[in-house]
Every structure is written in C-alpha cells, then in structure tokens.
Amino acid sequence: MRTIGVLLLPGTRMFDLAVIGEVWGQDRTDSGIGPFTVRLCSPGGARTAVAPFGDVAATHGLAGLDGCDLVLAPGRDDPLAPVPAAAVTALRRAHRDGRTVAGLCSGAFTLAAAGLLDGRPATTHWRDFDALTRVAPQADLQRDVLYTDDGGVLTSAGVVGGLDLCLYLVRRDHGAEVAARLARRLVMPPAREGGQRQYVDSPLPSAAQPGLSSTMDWALARLGDGIGVEDLVGHARMSERTFHREFAAATGVTPGRWLRVQRVRLAQQLLETTSLPVDRVAERSGLGTAANLRRRMHAEVGVGPDSYRRTFRSGGATVGECTSTF
C-alpha cells in the first residue's frame, strides 16, 4: 500500500483524520517507513466541514480514489448522516476493482451505505453498535472486538481502535519490522490484536500490580526459551487464578494468547531481518518446529513463513522520496 485515498465527507471526525495523517501522512523515510501518498477526496473536490471545528481542503475529487491501494472512510460526527450517491458509487467501484477499503470507527456506517458490509464481519464504536445493527442487518456484526478484517473490507472500533487498525494494516502489508518502527515513532506499543475487547476493566497494568508489566518484559526477552503461562505466573508471584484475571483485565487477552502472538511477531521480524532457515526461526521464536511455525503464521498472518519472507525481503518496505500530501 503506497497510495492512500481518504473519503472526506461533511462531519468527518478530526481525530480519525489526524490518525490517518500520523500513520501515512508524515515523512518518516529516515526510519525506513514509506513513502506514502495521501489523497483527500471529497465530492467535487470541495472544502469539507470537519467535526468538531474547522474545515479541510480536499486535494482531489472522488475520482482521486481510483487507483489508490487503500481507501479509508473516517468516522463522522453523525454516523447516520446521508452518504452522497457519488461517494457510494466511488466506494463500490474501489471494492470492485480489488482495492482494500476500511472504515474507521463510525466510518463503518459509510461502508454500510455502500453495501460493503453485507455478509462480512464488522464492528464500530460500542455506543453506535445498536444503530449499525439496524443499518447493516446482513453484516456479521461483532460487538466486542477492536477491528475486523475480511481481506478486502475492514472496520474498527472507536476511537483509538482506528489507530490500532491503521497500524495493523501497515503490519499486514509492509511487515512487522516497519510496523514496529512506526509504533516506536508514535510512542505506542505495536497494534493490539483485533480480537481484543473494545473496553477492558483496566487498560494498563495498575500501579498496584507492577509485577504484571515487569513479567511481560521478562517474557519478551525469553520467548525462545520455551517459557509457558506457568512461568509467567511464577515470575509474577501471583496465584494462577489471580494472574489470569489481572492479565486479561489489563490486556484483553489470555496469557496464552498473548504469548502466541508475541512469538509470531518475533518470527516475522526474524524472517524480515535475517537469513536464518525456517526451522531456526521457529526455535529462536519459541515456536519449536517449522511445522508449528507454519501453522501459527497461517493462523495469525494468513501466509506461511516462506511466502512471508519473499514478500517482505523483496522490497516491500523500501525507502524513497516521501510524496505525502496530507
């Protein structure tokens, strides 16, 4: 994904627009990220009122969405506001042409207006979920996830869920190493997994449980050592029941799931940045065997290690002149 088209409609939310600008609109080629071109596309190429204040000048009309690698529909202040017929046509054309289309937060309603959610998994901000069930009755709506990915159509929860989805798209199409560099530039962890809950009781380990965050750091340094959940419990010096409860409350996933995801991410980085044979990558990442690595990567990433390495060591994350227009 090199050219990003943003559908700019009246009432577009400033936060969603800012997220897109931070992920794709900044010149970060000095960190090996990009280059990307961002097109702001509105009906008629007109200036567009953006919530909660101000307006934004479009760089293109809706025809600017043609040829984009990724088309994004940001959330709108009123998710039920009408979507212009020309915008519906442009979204359908982008999807028909094989472009990836994603809705951030209430941008799912924009995709629903184009019929792109029918028969597909989708989500939105929890406050708007019931309204989306009425607007998109044929969608496979998932209330308690951060984002959904049906290959060509993606949606996210709000508000920061949109940032999670954007980082996920960078990781999916440019590799784990590029996504990790971008996350560091944004001073945030790599994107959370889409299956995590939108709302957890304690988004971060509480000060009362400093052992939890230190245990996660300890585990990340030892992924290749074959450590399991019982080792995490022992390091945290909690009872097993308390550890599972505190961990799930802090991260939204089980300790076992978290370990599997971290190992796959380490394997991705090794495949991108080293020439280690697949069986050695499996050992170094704590996944044991090449067969298990292939199984886990197919489950988490959708491709095996050989295909992943060919994709992300063949120029998929090259650096060049930044052409961002955002």
Side-chain angles (χ1 to χ4, degrees):
M1 292 182 184
R2 294 297 178 184
T3 305
I4 316 300
V6 182
L7 178 58
L8 201 57
L9 297 176
T12 292
R13 289 178 54 84
M14 180 64 75
F15 182 88
D16 291 1
L17 209 54
V19 163
I20 295 168
E22 280 298 315
V23 173
W24 282 290
Q26 301 293 325
D27 182 355
R28 296 193 172 98
T29 52
D30 60 336
S31 295
I33 302 166
F36 304 111
T37 297
V38 179
R39 301 175 182 175
L40 300 181
C41 306
S42 71
R47 295 183 71 89
T48 301
V50 173
F53 39 72
D55 59 8
V56 172
T59 60
H60 295 73
L62 293 178
L65 298 176
D66 295 338
C68 289
D69 304 304
L70 169 65
V71 173
L72 294 171
R76 302 170 73 188
D77 196 43
D78 178 6
L80 296 175
V83 178
V88 167
T89 298
L91 285 171
R92 289 174 176 171
R93 183 169 60 246
H95 177 63
R96 184 177 63 248
D97 291 346
R99 313 304 178 187
T100 297
V101 180
L104 306 187
C105 193
S106 60
F109 287 79
T110 305
L111 303 191
L116 298 186
L117 300 188
D118 293 350
R120 293 187 173 88
T123 193
T124 191
H125 191 289
W126 59 269
R127 289 188 63 182
D128 297 326
F129 194 88
D130 290 341
L132 187 61
T133 63
R134 296 189 293 271
V135 170
Q138 298 183 55
D140 176 18
L141 298 181
Q142 300 182 15
R143 180 181 295 272
D144 205 21
V145 299
L146 289 177
Y147 51 85
T148 63
D149 177 6
D150 190 52
V153 178
L154 302 92
T155 59
S156 79
V159 174
V160 182
L163 181 55
D164 287 310
L165 176 60
C166 289
L167 279 173
Y168 166 77
L169 282 166
V170 171
R171 187 169 81 241
R172 192 187 78 171
D173 289 282
H174 297 278
E177 182 61 26
V178 171
R181 287 189 211 128
L182 178 56
R184 285 194 292 271
R185 288 292 296 264
L186 295 173
V187 195
M188 65 175 291
R192 295 175 291 173
E193 296 306 302
Q196 290 187 214
R197 299 197 303 273
Q198 285 194 28
Y199 177 82
V200 294
D201 297 332
S202 175
L204 295 172
S206 67
Q209 294 290 356
L212 196 58
S213 57
S214 64
T215 292
M216 294 166 76
D217 291 339
W218 174 84
L220 288 173
R222 294 165 175 79
L223 292 174
D225 294 345
I227 60 171
V229 174
E230 65 279 2
D231 299 298
L232 273 63
V233 172
H235 184 274
R237 297 183 179 180
M238 300 180 188
S239 70
E240 184 174 352
R241 183 174 181 178
T242 298
F243 180 80
H244 277 264
R245 183 180 67 249
E246 294 287 342
F247 196 97
T251 66
V253 294
T254 65
R257 167 71 177 160
W258 181 83
L259 271 176
R260 289 193 297 273
V261 168
Q262 302 312 312
R263 283 177 165 138
V264 169
R265 286 185 177 171
L266 176 56
Q268 288 176 274
Q269 292 181 7
L270 291 171
L271 290 166
E272 292 175 31
T273 59
T274 76
S275 298
L276 289 171
V278 170
D279 56 350
R280 289 288 295 126
V281 171
E283 293 173 9
R284 289 271 297 272
S285 60
L287 291 169
T289 65
N292 190 43
L293 171 60
R294 291 188 177 94
R295 181 165 63 90
R296 292 298 181 192
M297 285 200 65
H298 273 289
E300 299 292 340
V301 187
V303 296
D306 297 318
S307 295
Y308 185 89
R309 172 171 270 166
R310 283 195 299 271
T311 299
F312 293 112
R313 296 200 72 197
S314 60
T318 55
V319 179
E321 180 182 0
C322 182
T323 58
S324 295
T325 58
F326 191 92

